[in-house]
Amino acid sequence: MPMDWILGLFGGLLIGTAAALYLLVSGRILGASGIIGGLVDGSAKHEWAERGALLAGLFAVPAIAAFAVGGSETHVTENWAVLIAAGLLVGIGTRLANGCTSGHGVCGISRLSLRGIVATVFYIAAGGLTVVLFKHVWGII
Amino acid sequence: MRAFISFIAGGLFGLGLLISGMTDTTKVQGWLDIFGAWDPTLAFVMGGAILPMALAWLFTKGRKPVLAASFPTPPKPEIGRKLVIGSTMFGMGWGLSGLCPGPAVASLSFGGAGGLIFMAAMLVGMVLAPPIRRRLDQPTAAVYG
């Protein structure tokens, strides 16, 4: 377990360094839902190259790293109904709230943004309640 | 040059998600599962990520980005329905699947069919969001009336 925490801290430092690089050089917020959402709904057409390059790195580097160490496991559920419901909730929710774990969580909290803190409290509380209900009460996940 | 920086930032982000274990849905759901075998790893990841980013924000004061005209201005400190409803919906989906947008992209190559289905549904949700956002922007009476 402590090994997991050390890897968590080290991985977290890499995530924060990535966000700091993107902010200090490109002047932008490293928020995954905003970067993807702006491409999908067409609101960021003029930035497609910059955003596409970021998503390419986000996809390709872990793909190569995971391949190099012999694969990685996501343990994602095989229940398609749960996956579809979850994907829709995450897609709609992050675009309504204008941010997810990276935008509100990492980038918002680090500048003591009230919106970032409130969003994080709500998504962690909702996530915790969802796991309790769907896992322990209803046994669906 | 901006695209190159984007690629590097995205790659570091993805590597950090993989190393920290955040592409493993059981670790994310383990953090949310306070009545089960609670896994505190996510708190270490968040703390580790916030630290360099907090320093970066301090560094922005009185300066300009290397490759842009200005730093993003803070959003209006407005806690509206969109923020609360949206974050609650996001949290529900995050709890159900253990996935959020960053790790969903980072794990796409090894996440199997499940990862692809989640990604497809998330993209559909992102297309559906703008009309819902416009509706929530209207006064309450217009939403329920």
Side-chain angles (χ1 to χ4, degrees):
Chain A
M1 271 297 173
M3 191 57 197
D4 283 7
W5 305 346
I6 294 165
L7 286 175
L9 190 64
F10 178 64
L13 285 169
L14 287 183
I15 297 167
T17 304
L21 173 76
Y22 199 46
L23 176 72
L24 296 176
V25 178
S26 301
R28 299 234 182 263
I29 304 280
L30 187 72
S33 61
I35 290 165
I36 303 167
L39 287 176
V40 173
D41 67 20
S43 61
K45 264 189 222 145
H46 56 290
E47 290 178 14
W48 67 268
E50 189 180 328
R51 291 177 185 229
L54 194 139
L55 294 175
L58 180 58
F59 167 79
V61 173
I64 294 163
F67 182 74
V69 297
S72 187
E73 193 45 74
T74 58
H75 300 112
V76 74
T77 177
E78 286 169 8
N79 185 330
W80 285 30
V82 166
L83 284 169
I84 291 169
L88 287 170
L89 283 165
V90 170
I92 297 171
T94 53
R95 292 303 281 159
L96 290 183
N98 215 3
C100 57
T101 353
S102 47
H104 278 312
V106 176
C107 298
I109 292 177
S110 60
R111 79 182 334 187
L112 300 176
S113 149
L114 183 64
R115 281 174 56 83
I117 293 165
V118 169
T120 303
V121 167
F122 272 93
Y123 67 69
I124 288 179
L129 194 63
T130 301
V131 169
V132 167
L133 287 177
F134 280 80
K135 187 175 175 186
H136 298 296
V137 180
W138 300 322
I140 296 173
I141 58 169
Chain B
M1 190 59 197
R2 285 180 63 100
F4 176 71
I5 294 296
S6 293
F7 182 84
I8 299 294
L12 265 180
F13 182 22
L15 196 62
L17 288 170
L18 180 72
I19 290 174
S20 63
M22 293 300 101
T23 51
D24 183 348
T25 59
T26 54
K27 294 203 79 63
V28 174
Q29 286 175 324
W31 148 263
L32 292 170
D33 190 7
I34 45 170
F35 293 121
W38 189 62
D39 184 338
T41 307
L42 191 142
F44 287 86
V45 182
M46 263 289 174
I50 286 172
L51 195 70
M53 199 48 193
L55 294 175
W57 280 120
L58 290 176
F59 189 80
T60 61
K61 288 209 172 63
R63 291 188 175 86
K64 278 170 58 169
V66 181
L67 296 175
S70 60
F71 285 112
T73 49
K76 274 182 263 170
E78 180 191 27
I79 310 301
R81 283 185 297 176
K82 280 182 298 181
L83 186 77
V84 170
I85 295 171
S87 295
T88 303
M89 288 177 72
F90 164 45
M92 289 166 65
W94 191 41
L96 278 177
S97 61
L99 286 168
C100 53
V105 176
S107 66
L108 210 53
S109 63
F110 51 84
L116 290 170
I117 293 163
F118 176 88
M119 177 60 66
M122 185 182 86
L123 295 178
V124 170
M126 286 179 167
V127 173
L128 296 176
I132 301 170
R133 191 190 304 144
R134 279 193 290 276
R135 235 182 127 76
L136 287 172
D137 276 334
Q138 291 164 1
T140 315
V143 175
Y144 298 107

